Amino acid sequence: FNGLTSLSFLNIGDTKLTSLDAAIFTGLTMLNNLWMDFNKLGSLPPTLFAGLTGLQSLYMNDNQLTMLSPTQFDDS
């Protein structure tokens, strides 16, 4: 999603994702709504959401997540 700095809505739900690169959302500061539900994600990189300062809604239900990093939503 590199270069899509004005992107405000992203739906990658129900796409059978099993993993995500730590930098996949880098630069998406205008992203308000992120749908990642109905995938097969078992874990998330600890800095996955860093920099998503505009994020208001996050949907991650129906994945295979068992634990999140204590700093998962820190903006660092």
Side-chain angles (χ1 to χ4, degrees), residues 31-35 54-59:
L31 190 64
N32 293 320
N33 297 285
L34 177 56
W35 295 68
L55 194 62
Q56 296 175 3
S57 300
L58 174 63
Y59 300 91

Side-chain angles (χ1 to χ4, degrees), residues 6-56:
S6 297
L7 189 67
S8 63
F9 178 88
L10 180 60
N11 184 347
I12 55 172
D14 203 14
T15 54
K16 298 180 177 43
L17 292 171
T18 57
S19 65
L20 293 171
D21 184 274
I24 193 169
F25 303 129
T26 299
L28 300 183
T29 57
M30 301 297 289
L31 190 64
N32 293 320
N33 297 285
L34 177 56
W35 295 68
M36 301 172 30
D37 52 347
F38 298 101
N39 280 301
K40 297 180 180 186
L41 297 169
S43 64
L44 299 174
T47 58
L48 184 66
F49 303 112
L52 296 183
T53 55
L55 194 62
Q56 296 175 3

